[in-house]
Amino acid sequence: MKYLHEFRDPAFAKTLSEKIHTVTTRPWTIMEICGGQTHSIVKSGLENLLPKSLSIVHGPGCPVCVTPLEIIEKAVLIASKPNVIFTSFGDMLRVPGNSTDLLHVKANGGDVRIVYSPLDAVTIAQKNPEKDVVFFAVGFETTAPANAIAVWQAHKNNVKNFSILCSHVLVPPAMEALLSSAENRVQGFLAAGHVCTVMGYEEYIPLAKKYKVPIIVTGFEPIDILHGILMLVTQLEEGRYELENQYSRMVKKEGNVSAQEMIYNVFEISNRKWRGIGEIPLSGYRLKNEFAHFDAEIKFDLGLIDVQESPLCIAGEILRGLKKPFECSAFGKECSPEHPLGAPMVSSEGACAAYYNYKRQEVLNSN
Amino acid sequence: MCLAIPGRIESIEEGSNPKMAKVDFGGVKKNVCLEFLPEANLHDYVLVHVGVALTKVDETEALETIELFKQMGDALDELKEGDPV
Ligand code: SF4
């Protein structure tokens, strides 16, 4: 595929790696804040191409991971209802709630379906008017246009048996929460390229200025990530803290304005709880009041759900970049992708799962 | 799950609502919503996430970035050649 293999070219990787080694003279801690990038970094072993003095920490960039346990439990409870078709992206199915996960609900006869797009869920609702069709609407800004247009289509076509269980999160407020914390040690960010295809990057400019951190809008291929790191380290070494765009082939300053309009047709900004971190002010979307009849939490009034996180799990410190997965005593022992105890192990884009899948041997050997 | 991948528009469904297109991802073809890229044309490369096209691949920018990597590589080679061994 055009413009894909060039960004995986080993010769470019070598050039960029050499260049990063030349530029780096001091230790720096940088964070990537997108699960796709975490996965790419760990899978392609990019850390081996970087100077030892560069520490890459993995931020709360996996929406599957940061979806609160009580929302997962609500999904399980709704999906278990007899008249419901519960639709979701595939990676939410294995996330355990307190009682069980969606995969087990399905195995026990629940109608749980994996869809490629939220629009498919609306089609399922139109084809099954006697059923309540619920879509599990999680994600960052990247996914919001798709979720918004699904609700909009249901609204326009008067599809009354469609609703969404919504847990939408936003990147800039999470970055600000990390940066404003006294324990922060992140000195520069790779911003998530795909989030910026939708939202643009204007929101990040004041963050870079206020907290004096360089931010580089970065793509997902290994070459993009190395290029983003080079741009970031160059700024750090020169004492600059600006917003720069590595991913210019996909990201424009203003983002996709028509997608943003659709988001704001349907959603409004609200406080959100992030699993492993806690509530962050104004860090998510909820349905606007006039779309409340599409809100599954209102439709299936489940009340307060009490859930218990594992006391062994140090997800909060991992998601804030304070610790790496192998510093958790449960890593690879009590906790594995088959039996995840916490958020970063539940999806392949979570930091713990990425380390488990690609680096476990290395980690266990060094212990 | 935030993965978005580039594909090439094979055909556009005229008059569909929302606007839909068939997009080819290296052999795998999928129906994709084109509502947020009204300017996209047949055979354009678009970045798609969960069935929705989010942006057009800017070919000029892509080629410029690739050219930058090539120049960086050449510059490093020259440096090495100049090194006293
Ligand atoms: S390894 Fe498991 S228990 Fe430890 S922090 Fe990661 S998710 Fe939590």
Side-chain angles (χ1 to χ4, degrees):
Chain A
M1 169 75 49
K2 218 171 162 191
Y3 310 128
L4 207 53
H5 70 256
E6 290 94 337
F7 291 91
R8 293 177 180 168
D9 184 340
F12 288 160
K14 193 164 163 276
T15 301
L16 287 163
S17 158
E18 282 181 27
K19 195 90 190 158
I20 294 169
H21 274 91
T22 322
V23 171
T24 313
T25 67
R26 278 168 282 168
W28 300 109
T29 299
I30 61 183
M31 177 181 268
E32 101 281 333
I33 197 146
C34 152
Q37 289 171 339
T38 307
H39 191 97
S40 191
I41 289 170
V42 182
K43 182 180 177 192
S44 45
L46 289 188
E47 277 170 299
N48 299 329
L49 298 178
L50 300 174
K52 292 259 169 307
S53 58
L54 266 192
S55 167
I56 305 201
V57 292
H58 314 292
C62 162
V64 180
C65 300
V66 300
T67 301
L69 195 50
E70 49 272 38
I71 301 272
I72 309 280
E73 185 62 17
K74 280 187 182 172
V76 163
L77 294 175
I78 294 172
S80 306
K81 290 188 183 290
N83 204 38
V84 165
I85 301 177
F86 195 89
T87 59
S88 168
F89 299 130
D91 36 10
M92 295 308 292
L93 263 60
R94 288 188 39 247
V95 186
N98 241 27
S99 52
T100 180
D101 60 34
L102 289 166
L103 214 53
H104 280 87
V105 173
K106 186 177 167 70
N108 290 329
D111 196 345
V112 178
R113 302 187 192 177
I114 295 175
V115 289
Y116 166 59
S117 169
L119 284 166
D120 298 341
V122 180
T123 309
I124 294 175
Q126 285 170 307
K127 287 189 180 151
N128 296 276
E130 73 295 349
K131 298 270 189 174
D132 259 315
V133 176
V134 183
F135 177 71
F136 204 170
V138 298
F140 279 114
E141 292 93 323
T142 324
T143 317
N147 289 342
I149 197 172
V151 173
W152 188 252
Q153 281 298 116
H155 161 72
K156 255 184 22 190
N157 297 315
N158 206 14
V159 185
K160 293 214 164 70
N161 60 328
F162 175 78
S163 60
I164 63 170
L165 180 59
C166 177
S167 184
H168 246 294
V169 279
L170 302 172
V171 172
M175 274 170 70
E176 174 130 39
L178 295 172
L179 284 167
S180 61
S181 138
E183 49 184 12
N184 172 54
R185 55 192 195 97
V186 179
Q187 294 162 296
F189 282 97
L190 301 179
H194 291 161
V195 165
C196 298
T197 60
V198 175
M199 303 309 286
Y201 53 74
E202 274 166 293
E203 290 173 279
Y204 298 88
I205 297 172
L207 277 181
K209 224 188 218 150
K210 179 169 173 196
Y211 294 98
K212 298 189 167 41
V213 285
I215 302 175
I216 315 287
V217 177
T218 305
F220 288 73
E221 296 302 329
I223 303 298
D224 286 317
I225 294 173
L226 286 172
H227 188 200
I229 292 172
L230 173 61
M231 292 168 75
L232 196 52
V233 176
T234 306
Q235 281 207 39
L236 286 165
E237 291 281 344
E238 291 173 0
R240 289 186 291 124
Y241 38 87
E242 288 154 27
L243 184 291
E244 288 178 320
N245 183 10
Q246 181 277 329
Y247 207 31
S248 57
R249 68 185 187 281
M250 301 290 192
V251 173
K252 300 282 160 265
K253 187 176 188 194
E254 68 283 2
N256 185 327
V257 175
S258 111
Q260 290 164 24
E261 278 167 11
M262 180 57 76
I263 294 174
Y264 296 123
N265 276 340
V266 170
F267 292 121
E268 62 191 12
I269 292 177
S270 69
N271 297 345
R272 271 273 165 219
K273 194 172 162 197
W274 296 51
R275 187 172 185 186
I277 295 185
E279 183 162 294
I280 304 178
L282 306 179
S283 69
Y285 290 135
R286 66 165 172 237
L287 284 166
K288 282 180 167 173
N289 261 343
E290 62 257 47
F291 292 93
H293 50 295
F294 290 111
D295 188 338
E297 283 190 81
I298 296 175
K299 203 175 221 180
F300 303 89
D301 181 14
L302 298 166
L304 272 186
I305 307 256
D306 197 23
V307 288
Q308 215 64 58
E309 293 278 4
S310 163
L312 293 174
C313 183
I314 57 161
E317 285 160 279
I318 291 183
L319 296 175
R320 280 176 286 152
L322 303 175
K323 287 207 169 140
K324 293 256 195 168
F326 48 78
E327 293 175 70
C328 170
S329 67
F331 178 87
K333 301 184 185 98
E334 293 90 342
C335 182
S336 66
E338 288 72 41
H339 297 284
L341 290 187
M345 192 62 99
V346 297
S347 147
S348 65
E349 290 177 6
C352 295
Y355 275 70
Y356 186 90
N357 290 329
Y358 301 111
K359 282 188 121 164
R360 178 171 29 137
Q361 228 34 57
E362 224 173 284
V363 168
L364 293 180
N365 289 346
S366 67
N367 276 349
Chain B
M1 68 156 278
C2 286
L3 209 63
I5 40 177
R8 187 168 175 259
I9 300 179
E10 289 269 291
S11 61
I12 296 176
E13 258 178 67
E14 288 312 325
S16 50
N17 188 356
K19 190 173 179 190
M20 297 296 286
K22 256 230 165 36
V23 173
D24 179 11
F25 301 94
V28 182
K29 295 188 174 70
K30 288 220 173 262
N31 287 324
V32 165
C33 170
L34 216 53
E35 192 68 21
F36 305 129
L37 286 181
E39 72 282 15
N41 291 317
L42 208 59
H43 301 158
D44 278 348
Y45 282 86
V46 290
L47 186 75
V48 176
H49 172 65
V50 299
V52 174
L54 296 178
T55 186
K56 244 171 70 166
V57 182
D58 185 327
E59 305 203 17
T60 318
E61 290 284 346
L63 293 172
E64 265 175 32
T65 311
I66 292 165
E67 189 52 37
L68 177 78
F69 297 151
K70 287 192 183 141
Q71 283 170 8
M72 251 184 226
D74 292 347
L76 281 172
D77 286 345
E78 268 169 40
L79 268 183
K80 276 183 222 152
E81 276 162 25
D83 271 353
V85 189

